[in-house]
Amino acid sequence: MRNLLIFITKYNAFFLFLIFEISSLLIYVKYNSFQKATFINSTNKVTGTLYTQVSQFYGYLSLKEVNDSLARENAQLRGMLKSALYVDTVEKHKVVDTTYKQQYTYIVARVVNNSTNKRSNYITINRGSKEGIAKDMGVICGSGVVGMVVDVSEHLAIVQSVLNKNTRFSAMLANNKEIGSFIWGADLDPKKGLLTDIQNDAQPKLGEQVVTSGYSLFPTGIPFGKISNLHAKGGGLLLNVDVTLAVDFSKLEYVYVVNNKFAQEQTGLEAGQKKNE
């Protein structure tokens, strides 16, 4: 306290000057309408800028919550698409009664780990069995096919990425529905895949979309990518097609795990048929 008093005493002239200066400015602004209006306008501008900066800062902090909310909404909307439904048709006396029923639902998840530079790449997501994730479920994002769930714990799941040497999905040409197998190319390019065993007379075209066939884990029509090159196989009857991937795997943040309600029924039925063979 003593040091403070000494400091004030030593610089009393400066403090008096400061007090008088502020007082005079306040009086000058208060009793002059033009200066008062200018001061208020300037103050409002500074305050508005400050509030804008604070709002942007808080908005940045809440981006995660906003993204989570949007991802959940997208999952719900995907579940409402016609491709997520199946048709239950009953024909009686030439009257067709058609009812759309849910076949696919979607579980939103956030990517917590990802690799793109290995021969066998995997993705870790922050959803597990507690949220209904199970092995062999398909995984997509807003751009296209991401991969397939291969391991699950209570709160996490491992996805075998499209960028994996063991990946193989049923795929087709979007225009004429010719079926082939989609795999990752041997050159480890994270932006390219390969559609194999396409009939030459299918006449695929550069730029044509390659999509899911509906025979595997996904609804029909989910993009793998677009054709970038054609290669004839031995004999010239079959083609291998280079595909530029629709998904940028280096920027994955949110994905949707596809729950096919008929998957277990189909798998069990097909397994029984194989035993009978």
Side-chain angles (χ1 to χ4, degrees):
M1 188 65 182
R2 181 172 174 275
N3 291 335
L4 180 60
L5 291 174
I6 293 173
F7 177 78
I8 293 173
T9 303
K10 184 176 180 181
Y11 295 101
N12 60 357
F14 172 76
F15 288 119
L16 284 173
F17 169 78
L18 199 61
I19 292 169
F20 290 142
E21 185 72 19
I22 294 172
S23 299
S24 61
L25 283 173
L26 290 174
I27 294 170
Y28 179 70
V29 169
K30 184 176 181 180
Y31 294 103
N32 291 273
S33 57
F34 176 77
Q35 283 76 10
K36 183 177 182 179
T38 303
F39 176 77
I40 292 173
N41 188 39
S42 300
T43 304
N44 288 339
K45 186 180 293 186
V46 172
T47 305
T49 302
L50 181 61
Y51 284 154
T52 300
Q53 296 296 328
V54 172
S55 176
Q56 289 176 347
F57 176 72
Y58 281 115
Y60 176 79
L61 293 180
S62 64
L63 277 179
K64 180 182 179 299
E65 287 76 12
V66 172
N67 286 338
D68 287 344
S69 175
L70 289 173
R72 285 193 296 271
E73 183 178 350
N74 285 338
Q76 292 173 352
L77 292 174
R78 279 185 174 275
M80 296 168 64
L81 292 174
K82 193 172 182 179
S83 61
L85 309 174
Y86 76 98
V87 182
D88 187 9
T89 303
V90 178
E91 185 174 346
K92 292 183 179 179
H93 305 294
K94 298 184 179 180
V95 176
V96 178
D97 178 19
T98 303
T99 304
Y100 287 99
K101 297 184 178 179
Q102 193 81 32
Q103 179 176 353
Y104 296 97
T105 57
Y106 300 87
I107 305 166
V108 65
R110 187 164 56 86
V111 173
V112 296
N113 195 19
N114 183 19
S115 66
T116 60
N117 58 355
K118 302 175 182 178
R119 190 68 186 96
S120 298
N121 293 290
Y122 293 92
I123 300 165
T124 305
I125 58 176
N126 69 337
R127 293 288 183 269
S129 58
K130 188 175 181 181
E131 291 80 23
I133 307 295
K135 287 183 65 175
D136 298 328
M137 284 184 172
V139 182
I140 63 175
C141 68
S143 304
V145 177
V146 171
M148 176 182 70
V149 176
V150 292
D151 201 4
V152 182
S153 66
E154 186 177 3
H155 301 291
L156 299 168
I158 301 296
V159 178
Q160 181 177 296
S161 169
V162 165
L163 309 182
N164 190 297
K165 65 181 181 181
N166 298 316
T167 293
R168 182 177 291 270
F169 295 121
S170 177
M172 68 181 183
L173 299 174
N175 291 347
N176 67 4
K177 315 304 180 187
E178 178 72 22
I179 302 293
S181 293
F182 188 87
I183 62 175
W184 190 30
D187 56 358
L188 304 183
D189 190 336
K191 296 183 179 181
K192 290 183 179 179
L194 190 67
L195 180 64
T196 64
D197 300 332
I198 293 293
Q199 295 291 329
N200 194 24
D201 57 8
Q203 298 181 342
K205 297 177 176 58
L206 294 179
E208 183 177 354
Q209 272 205 332
V210 175
V211 299
T212 54
S213 65
Y215 289 172
S216 55
L217 314 174
F218 311 95
T220 304
I222 305 296
F224 284 102
K226 293 183 178 181
I227 296 175
S228 58
N229 206 351
L230 308 174
H231 303 282
K233 294 184 71 174
L237 297 177
L238 297 175
L239 291 173
N240 284 346
V241 178
D242 288 337
V243 178
T244 300
L245 296 178
V247 176
D248 186 345
F249 285 85
S250 65
K251 297 180 180 179
L252 272 182
E253 292 187 67
Y254 288 87
V255 296
Y256 304 98
V257 182
V258 182
N259 179 21
N260 180 357
K261 293 186 175 183
F262 295 162
Q264 289 186 350
E265 181 181 346
Q266 180 179 346
T267 302
L269 193 63
E270 291 173 352
Q273 181 62 34
K274 286 181 180 178
K275 287 182 180 179
N276 294 332
E277 291 176 353

